[in-house]
Amino acid sequence: MLEFAILGLLQEAPMHGYELRKELTAKLGAIRAAISYGTLYPTLRRLQAAGWITEAAETPATAEEVPALTSRRGRVVYTITAEGKERFAQLIAQAGPETYDDTGFGVHFAFFARTDQATRLRILEGRRRKIEERREGLRDVLGRAAERLDAYTLELQRHGLDACEREVRWLEELIANERSGRAPTAPRPGTTGGRGDNDSPPTPGTSRSERP
């Protein structure tokens, strides 16, 4: 999924490693994009070896952009190739089970603006089925074994169930919008956009309490 995200970002503009790491955090969120340079650069090398990206001219690096414990050197700028654009087109059109899990869904959702409507709908419906299955599993645990769980484990199970129920409602709203041809409507800063504070949509793959 990191390869998919990198190719998607490089579709927008050439970037060096520092910019890519910063944009990954902005695009995917700090928790999901908590990647180190030790993870990022090997992935960039694999993409280069596959012929999907290439190095452009180096530019001078500023002190704040140089990772700790490394020398201050020129920044290597990465550019997507024609083959890389084809690979990204293949990846963004996927709607299989790997796009329903927490990480896969979050990364694909971040690029929904460039995904066709039919693929968006298949991914949303697949994610809803997955979360509904997770919700029913938690309900089963609470129904059969609640009396055997200690108070903290029970609270954790209830928290998970609550998160699933909220995400299902959020997904159903997104699916309804897709079917009617409407884009999601984000509330203006300082407003709830018609939702109460306890009804705001979750970040894909996370629960309410995991957000700041």
Side-chain angles (χ1 to χ4, degrees):
M1 286 301 166
L2 180 57
E3 294 177 354
F4 171 57
I6 290 172
L7 291 174
L9 289 173
L10 291 181
Q11 286 263 61
E12 300 171 1
M15 298 183 193
H16 55 76
Y18 176 83
E19 290 174 322
L20 276 168
R21 190 167 181 257
K22 186 165 64 174
E23 288 301 315
L24 283 167
T25 300
K27 192 84 169 174
L28 307 178
I31 296 175
R32 187 173 289 110
I35 58 171
S36 65
Y37 288 107
T39 301
L40 177 62
Y41 285 110
T43 303
L44 290 169
R45 287 194 291 271
R46 287 196 298 272
L47 293 175
Q48 281 184 276
W52 296 333
I53 65 172
T54 187
E55 293 182 5
E58 293 186 353
T59 59
T62 63
E64 65 181 20
E65 294 175 344
V66 178
L69 304 180
T70 62
S71 62
R72 184 171 180 176
R73 57 182 178 77
R75 299 173 299 179
V76 177
V77 177
Y78 299 94
T79 304
I80 193 169
T81 64
E83 292 81 2
K85 291 179 180 179
E86 291 178 3
R87 175 60 177 166
F88 180 74
Q90 294 171 354
L91 292 172
I92 205 169
Q94 291 179 355
E98 71 279 358
T99 67
Y100 310 156
D101 64 30
D102 293 348
T103 300
F105 177 72
V107 174
H108 275 267
F109 193 88
F111 292 96
F112 260 21
R114 283 187 270 166
T115 306
D116 67 85
Q117 183 185 28
T119 301
R120 289 197 302 263
L121 193 55
R122 288 197 298 273
I123 292 174
L124 289 170
E125 290 174 338
R127 175 66 177 181
R128 181 178 61 181
R129 289 193 300 271
K130 186 176 186 67
I131 300 303
E132 285 174 337
E133 291 172 0
R134 187 181 297 172
R135 180 187 63 186
E136 295 311 308
L138 288 167
R139 284 177 176 172
D140 185 56
V141 169
L142 287 169
R144 290 187 300 104
E147 68 280 358
R148 298 197 301 272
L149 301 176
D150 65 76
Y152 293 100
T153 302
L154 183 61
E155 186 61 24
L156 183 62
Q157 297 297 317
R158 287 174 174 164
H159 167 70
L161 178 58
D162 178 68
C164 288
E165 289 174 340
R166 292 183 187 280
E167 184 166 354
V168 167
R169 290 197 297 270
W170 176 67
L171 289 165
E172 287 175 343
E173 181 179 337
L174 289 170
I175 289 168
N177 285 340
E178 288 293 336
R179 288 175 175 165
S180 62
R182 297 193 307 269
T185 54
R188 291 178 307 215
T191 70
T192 58
R195 292 187 180 94
D197 288 342
N198 291 330
D199 294 321
S200 57
T203 300
T206 66
S207 67
R208 171 181 306 282
S209 64
E210 292 171 324
R211 294 173 303 162

